[in-house]
Amino acid sequence: MRTSTRRSRRLGALAAVAALTTGLLAGCANDSDDGSSNSDGGGKGGGKTTLTIGTFGVFGYKQAGLYDEYMKLHPDITIKENVTTRTDVYWPKTLTRLQAGSGTDDIQAIEVGNITEAVQTQADKFVDLGKEVDKSQWLDWKNAQATTKDGKLIGLGTDVGPMAICYRKDLFQKAGLETDRTKLAEQWKGDWSKYVDLGKEYMKKAPKGTKYVDSASSVYNAALGGESQRYYDKDGNVIWDKSTGVKNAWNTAMEVATSDMSAKLKQFDPTWDQGYAKGSFATVACPAWMIGYIEQKSGDSGKGKWDVAAAPTAANWGGSFIGVPTAGKHQKEAVALAKWLTAPEQQAKVFAKQASFPSTPSAYASLKPQADTTAYFSDAPITQIFSDSAKTIPTQYFGVKDQPIGTAITDVGILQVEQKGKTPDQGWNAAKSEIKDVLGQ
């Protein structure tokens, strides 16, 4: 997902931010009543062949001028981007059109939460891009998410969401804690429970009106993002209630939920935004795309006070792919455009515009955050921290109901404990009941 745009561009990306927490669904964006809009890419175009790209939220291709650049290089091509802002209709509509064999865009975006469903149930509806590209350009675990059992690659990686910890060094100093990012990272290295333990120390001398972390759900998502075992196994079987990764993340979140260190805020709600502005919490688990969001919501009062340290474990939250449906009328041209848009050089350009972190490691050395972002985060080596994480993230397997299972755990189970005072067992049982409904059991 693309959510780290600069201050003047970020409002347009907030739909993408919200989608990460509600479960991104993907469908073509040709229906105006679905919050969709059509764009010709911002250029003059006028070529003989019109290629359509169906996306959700803000992918940054138009904003970074890539459509204009490509049309200039290929005068016979016109690019039209169909954007769905209602993410809750995107994937169901795309599925319907894929299954019907008509109505799809020439290039279709796929969010990481939906990639397993596409791989397992719609692979025959997409061109095998593994035959068209040098797969070594992408992170191995990113390729693995879009690859079928028989080796077909149905999507090319766009961005990823490597994890770090963003923290208010001014609040840490007042609480008598270490403020140096390297030393902090060493204190919690390898175990999210160590990160939580530091929170207990923070609360002993916490500045008035502040908490250590924004929410227990935030800690859960971050910890799970570093686990190889989530809700499904590699064969598509549901294992959420037996998953070691889920158990570890849940237990870590419960340490937070049953303590006084959480501000008890729901991410992306207005109260969470206000928490940034007020400096209500000292840390937040932040994937790369959240950097711009923090800067926007914290405003001038947070400049030079935020810093970034490596997360306890390499973890990922978010990311997308683009694929070429076999129903498209211009498959050859669409494949060429998809390859170009996701090449390292183009991914670096999108990063420069809105900090969407590339899934192509060869781009990392050339990444340059905008100067005001670097200053805002105390001159932290942001690209180095995120690239180190991205290279070592474990391969994770997602399932058809991955998003709603996760939502049941965070918005039902953890919420019951953190905000309603229920016991961890009661919270787990509440999540379990919700998940049974999700799975139709």
Side-chain angles (χ1 to χ4, degrees):
M1 277 288 40
R2 292 133 186 93
T3 53
S4 325
T5 53
R6 301 298 314 136
R7 187 180 305 274
S8 62
R9 302 184 299 276
R10 288 179 190 129
L11 292 179
L14 295 188
V17 176
L20 282 163
T21 60
T22 59
L24 291 169
L25 304 171
C28 284
N30 297 322
D31 303 276
S32 59
D33 59 340
D34 295 330
S36 57
S37 62
N38 299 329
S39 168
D40 65 359
K44 296 181 179 180
K48 296 180 180 179
T49 300
T50 297
L51 296 178
T52 60
I53 301 180
T55 68
F56 45 85
V58 179
F59 267 58
Y61 296 147
K62 176 182 176 181
Q63 291 77 5
L66 296 189
Y67 295 151
D68 284 349
E69 184 178 348
Y70 193 83
M71 288 188 288
K72 185 176 181 179
L73 292 171
H74 302 82
D76 57 330
I77 298 292
T78 295
I79 300 172
K80 174 182 283 189
E81 184 182 71
N82 295 324
V83 183
T84 296
T85 55
R86 284 280 304 279
T87 55
D88 59 331
V89 301
Y90 179 80
W91 188 237
K93 285 208 167 192
T94 297
L95 283 177
T96 298
R97 291 166 179 173
L98 286 169
Q99 292 161 358
S102 63
T104 61
D105 287 300
D106 294 300
I107 294 175
Q108 208 75 56
I110 310 169
E111 202 268 338
V112 66
N114 303 123
I115 191 62
T116 298
E117 182 174 16
V119 166
Q120 293 180 359
T121 70
Q122 305 299 318
D124 62 328
K125 307 296 184 182
F126 286 94
V127 171
D128 183 0
L129 296 171
K131 298 178 179 180
E132 306 290 342
V133 299
D134 175 5
K135 292 189 287 187
S136 67
Q137 293 182 94
W138 285 267
L139 293 160
D140 290 342
W141 61 265
K142 186 72 172 178
N143 281 333
Q145 291 178 333
T147 301
T148 64
K149 289 182 179 180
D150 59 358
K152 181 178 181 180
L153 183 68
I154 70 165
L156 301 180
T158 58
D159 63 321
V160 290
M163 193 73 66
I165 298 294
C166 293
Y167 66 100
R168 285 282 299 259
K169 63 181 183 181
D170 60 322
L171 298 181
F172 267 46
Q173 184 176 35
K174 291 177 181 179
L177 299 182
E178 179 64 62
T179 60
D180 180 82
R181 67 180 73 93
T182 301
K183 293 179 180 179
L184 267 179
E186 283 298 321
Q187 288 185 17
W188 56 52
K189 185 177 180 179
D191 192 339
W192 283 92
S193 288
K194 294 179 181 178
Y195 165 72
V196 174
D197 288 342
L198 190 64
K200 297 173 184 177
E201 293 301 313
Y202 177 86
M203 293 309 300
K204 291 178 181 179
K205 297 182 179 180
K208 185 178 180 180
T210 71
K211 298 293 184 178
Y212 178 63
V213 69
D214 59 329
S215 71
S217 292
S218 169
V219 175
Y220 172 83
N221 285 325
L224 188 64
E227 297 282 353
S228 58
Q229 194 176 70
R230 290 170 52 94
Y231 308 130
Y232 288 77
D233 64 20
K234 63 181 180 179
D235 297 317
N237 301 309
V238 179
I239 60 166
W240 75 272
D241 54 343
K242 305 178 187 67
S243 166
T244 300
V246 171
K247 181 179 180 181
N248 291 340
W250 173 268
N251 289 340
T252 303
M254 288 302 100
E255 289 188 67
V256 176
T258 57
S259 73
D260 64 347
M261 71 178 73
S262 173
K264 301 180 181 181
L265 301 172
K266 186 176 180 180
Q267 290 193 323
F268 306 108
D269 273 4
T271 53
W272 190 59
D273 294 346
Q274 293 163 12
Y276 279 117
K278 296 177 181 178
S280 299
F281 48 88
T283 73
V284 62
C286 58
W289 49 260
M290 196 183 285
I291 288 291
Y293 192 92
I294 292 172
E295 186 179 348
Q296 180 200 12
K297 296 304 178 182
S298 295
D300 292 340
S301 64
K303 185 175 182 179
K305 296 177 180 178
W306 281 98
D307 208 326
V308 184
T313 63
N316 185 72
W317 179 11
S320 299
F321 304 80
I322 56 175
V324 177
T326 55
K329 297 179 180 179
H330 311 291
Q331 290 182 33
K332 181 179 179 181
E333 294 86 351
V335 168
L337 176 56
K339 288 169 58 178
W340 189 83
L341 288 173
T342 57
E345 297 82 1
Q346 276 60 258
Q347 293 208 27
K349 293 172 185 175
V350 174
F351 175 84
K353 185 67 174 179
Q354 64 176 48
S356 295
F357 206 81
S359 57
T360 50
S362 64
Y364 295 166
S366 65
L367 299 182
K368 295 181 179 180
Q370 295 194 27
D372 58 343
T373 295
T374 301
Y376 198 92
F377 288 90
S378 305
D379 297 321
I382 296 172
T383 57
Q384 185 66 51
I385 291 171
F386 287 125
S387 61
D388 286 348
S389 175
K391 293 173 183 177
T392 55
I393 292 168
T395 298
Q396 298 181 316
Y397 300 98
F398 291 76
V400 175
K401 299 293 184 180
D402 203 272
Q403 292 279 12
I405 290 174
T407 300
I409 291 176
T410 58
D411 292 7
V412 177
I414 294 177
L415 184 146
Q416 290 282 326
V417 180
E418 185 172 51
Q419 296 191 11
K420 298 186 179 181
K422 302 295 184 180
T423 67
D425 284 345
Q426 289 173 324
W428 182 261
N429 289 333
K432 188 174 184 178
S433 177
E434 183 75 12
I435 291 170
K436 283 185 176 181
D437 289 342
V438 166
L439 298 177
Q441 297 176 344

